[in-house]
Amino acid sequence: MAKCPNCGKTLHFTDWKQDCPSCGVNLIYFKSNERLLAESEQAEIEHAKHQPAIDRAKAAFFGSAPAIVRIILHVLPIGALFLPLFSISGKNINAIDIYKIISESDFGTFIKEAFGGINKNTALIPLLISAVLIIFCLICLPMSLGRHGVIRNRILNFLMIGLSFISLGTAIYAGLKPFFGIYIYILLLIAICVYNFILVKKGLNVKYTTCYIGGLKSEDYFRFIDEGMSELEIRKKMVEALTAMQEEVREKERLAALEEEERRKAMK
């Protein structure tokens, strides 16, 4: 059962009116301003908590020239897969031909042959997995400045390079002739790994958005909370900050009005 927020009386289904039958307070509008203020503050708090992650994602993906170069580097190996990679029975194949080989064959038979001994199927599977990991790396780039971003990137980069070398070595052992496409592909994967190491060392510039909670900067608000400041003291500081912001807006409006007046006088 619900209770009156003012007197604590238990309300029944028969108490359908918006006024409390005991104290007469309006149940809908009771402390509505306080509730609205608390809800708006909570919304601002949640925004301030999540905004830094959004800022880091923007900086990691397209926030600067080094980040854009990293995207290009991740796309280039995919293009290299369309160059001649291996020669099978005198025919040069690339990613499209590999897809046709897999799609035209029974998947179960293909996997069985791949793990039944070293052959062309054994060479193609690591290459395909490394290509999938490149796409996965692209998806993970916005999260590269997160808590586990650096470790995740390095693991994925080493896996891609390792799988590409396994594919090359297995192909040579199985009698497939490697072409320049596979070497360009491996070199580009190594370039991605090296570039990521450089970015980690130099760092990417993150422009954090200033968030406000009740007129206070979010970092000040959270610092006051950590210091154990009471809600009343924080509200006082909020009022002071909002007053200062309002005065600043009024001053800007006054200066703008003066500039407009001087411009009009100069035009006469």
Side-chain angles (χ1 to χ4, degrees):
M1 289 290 183
K3 293 186 177 182
C4 173
N6 185 45
C7 65
K9 174 182 171 56
T10 301
L11 303 174
H12 303 280
F13 290 108
T14 55
D15 300 322
W16 54 271
K17 294 183 179 180
Q18 65 180 17
D19 296 329
C20 175
S22 177
C23 63
V25 72
N26 190 301
L27 298 173
I28 297 176
Y29 297 105
F30 179 73
K31 292 186 177 181
S32 59
N33 291 335
E34 288 85 348
R35 293 201 305 270
L36 287 172
L37 180 61
E39 289 174 3
S40 64
E41 281 184 13
Q42 187 59 38
E44 290 176 335
I45 290 170
E46 292 299 321
H47 175 259
K49 287 180 178 179
H50 291 93
Q51 187 60 44
I54 297 172
D55 294 334
R56 287 192 294 269
K58 289 179 180 179
F61 199 60
F62 56 81
S64 61
I68 295 173
V69 169
R70 181 167 61 175
I71 295 174
I72 296 171
L73 276 177
H74 278 76
V75 173
L76 287 177
I78 298 176
L81 290 173
F82 293 92
L83 299 173
L85 301 171
F86 301 110
S87 176
I88 299 179
S89 301
K91 180 184 177 182
N92 297 339
I93 64 168
N94 56 20
I96 297 175
D97 299 309
I98 294 173
Y99 172 77
K100 289 180 179 179
I101 291 172
I102 296 174
S103 61
E104 292 174 358
S105 60
D106 180 69
F107 185 74
T109 305
F110 182 87
I111 296 297
K112 186 177 180 180
E113 290 178 358
F115 290 95
I118 298 177
N119 50 56
K120 64 178 180 63
N121 295 356
T122 315
L124 298 181
I125 288 177
L127 186 64
L128 290 175
I129 296 174
S130 68
V132 172
L133 288 178
I134 293 174
I135 298 173
F136 185 67
C137 278
L138 275 169
I139 296 172
C140 292
L141 282 183
M143 299 177 283
S144 61
L145 293 179
R147 184 181 301 175
H148 307 295
V150 174
I151 297 174
R152 179 174 55 247
N153 280 351
R154 288 180 178 175
I155 291 174
L156 290 174
N157 291 163
F158 288 144
L159 277 175
M160 290 188 298
I161 295 171
L163 288 169
S164 63
F165 273 111
I166 290 172
S167 177
L168 175 61
T170 307
I172 294 172
Y173 188 85
L176 276 65
K177 183 180 178 183
F179 270 79
F180 63 92
I182 186 65
Y183 296 111
I184 293 175
Y185 177 73
I186 293 174
L187 288 174
L188 288 171
L189 293 182
I190 295 173
I192 290 173
C193 185
V194 172
Y195 191 75
N196 279 328
F197 270 96
I198 294 172
L199 283 186
V200 169
K201 187 175 181 180
K202 291 188 175 181
L204 287 171
N205 184 27
V206 182
K207 295 180 180 178
Y208 288 103
T209 303
T210 303
C211 298
Y212 292 92
I213 301 173
L216 293 173
K217 289 185 177 181
S218 58
E219 55 266 26
D220 293 334
Y221 176 85
F222 292 128
R223 178 168 55 83
F224 294 152
I225 294 293
D226 293 337
E227 291 174 355
M229 187 177 291
S230 66
E231 184 179 348
L232 180 60
E233 291 175 329
I234 293 176
R235 289 287 169 82
K236 287 181 180 179
K237 289 187 177 293
M238 286 181 175
V239 172
E240 292 174 0
L242 289 171
T243 302
M245 291 171 66
Q246 191 175 31
E247 290 177 354
E248 184 179 352
V249 171
R250 288 175 178 174
E251 181 64 18
K252 288 181 179 180
E253 291 176 349
R254 187 184 68 81
L255 292 175
L258 288 174
E259 290 179 0
E260 181 64 20
E261 185 177 353
E262 290 177 359
R263 188 183 64 82
R264 289 178 180 177
K265 288 180 180 180
M267 292 176 64
K268 292 180 179 179

